[in-house]
Amino acid sequence: MVNPELADSPFLRACRRQPVSRTPVWYMRQAGRSLPEYRAVREGVPMLEACATPELIVEITLQPVRRYGVDAAIFFSDIVVPLKAIGIDLDIKPGVGPVVAAPVRDADALRALRPIEPGDVPYVTEAVRALTGELGATPLIGFAGAPFTLASYLIEGGPSKNHDRTKAMMYGEPRLWHALMDRLTEITLGFLRIQIAAGASAVQLFDSWVGAVAPEDYREFVLPYSGRIFAGLADLDVPRIHFGVGTGELLGLLGEAGADVVGVDWRVPLDEAARRVGPGKALQGNLDPALLLAPWEVVERRAADVLARGAKAEGHVFNLGHGVLPGTDPDQLARLTDLVHRSSAR
């Protein structure tokens, strides 16, 4: 059940397509390298160690809420945390990303992918509970990586530009592909349910790399698993957000998967995104993160356009079209948050 303090949250109301007093705003990767206070607490601490330390999770999650006054906090973690927690040998290498020691490329390798249990991630439960106490009337968004994106990291062994091996398995070994996706679906669903049980009041499923597949392949090889995750959260009565990069041609399918909110990257204007997604969904997005490196007058003009187009949706959560870039001036984000709140007040 939602904390009574959150009943009037503009973020939760917008996700549910209810009237709001202003357009809510938060930013993907709002807690991260663009903040000097983040760099200070992360100095000398490897990423996966930070993601397993409750005190650091709490502090880093709260930093952008304090600085920007955003309408939601996003749980500080990484999409590979549940894989690490069940024993997969991987690390996040600075400047590279997740690297898997033994890529998953045959049926034998699937044995390592067991379901996740709360006891595997006690630091997640502890941190979420502490955060909900600290945040009060500000919602906490839990998150997880979607099966396709996790599969890509596992199959490729790390980040990939073209997802060659991933697609080769999808097309050439469909039985193995579906078995892998089935296991990753259970892990992802379990990880999200753990966060919600601890107090998260919304969740976002990040399918960062799914824009690499064509619509017909998404429908066959990805949609059934995203759909299972959203259906598996339906009894928990929290807004469910679905986001991917380069997914302009997939927006209708992302909505079809069952999320309450479809995240839109910067490539498709929100009024057109509303048409593609169809009725019954809120939208999230979608200012190009690179615009924050431009002069303020440019940011102001383009943000106003996003708000105007977002008004065509049944509900709108202002966000970027992907994560905050490391070189972003925090003052730009502070001004942007204030601009969205002031110009959308009603």
Side-chain angles (χ1 to χ4, degrees), residues 15 192 196 201-205 227 229-242 257-263 281-282:
C15 289
L192 289 172
I196 296 167
S201 46
V203 290
Q204 176 159 305
L205 186 68
I229 291 167
F230 291 123
L233 300 172
D235 63 308
L236 299 178
D237 191 32
V238 299
R240 300 156 296 173
I241 309 168
H242 199 8
D260 305 291
V261 185
V262 175
K281 306 289 178 184

Side-chain angles (χ1 to χ4, degrees), residues 2 5 35 64 71 111-112 127 139 146 158 195 230 244 252 268 274 279 309 320 322 338:
V2 173
E5 285 187 90
L35 290 175
D71 295 290
R111 295 196 189 99
Q195 293 172 67
F230 291 123
V268 179
R309 294 176 186 274
L320 304 180
H322 198 197
D338 184 58

Side-chain angles (χ1 to χ4, degrees), residues 56 77 98 107 140 151 158 174 185 217 240 263 290 298 304 307 309 334 337 342:
L56 273 179
S77 188
L140 175 68
T185 295
D217 294 323
R240 300 156 296 173
V298 179
L307 283 169
R309 294 176 186 274
T337 307
R342 280 188 294 103

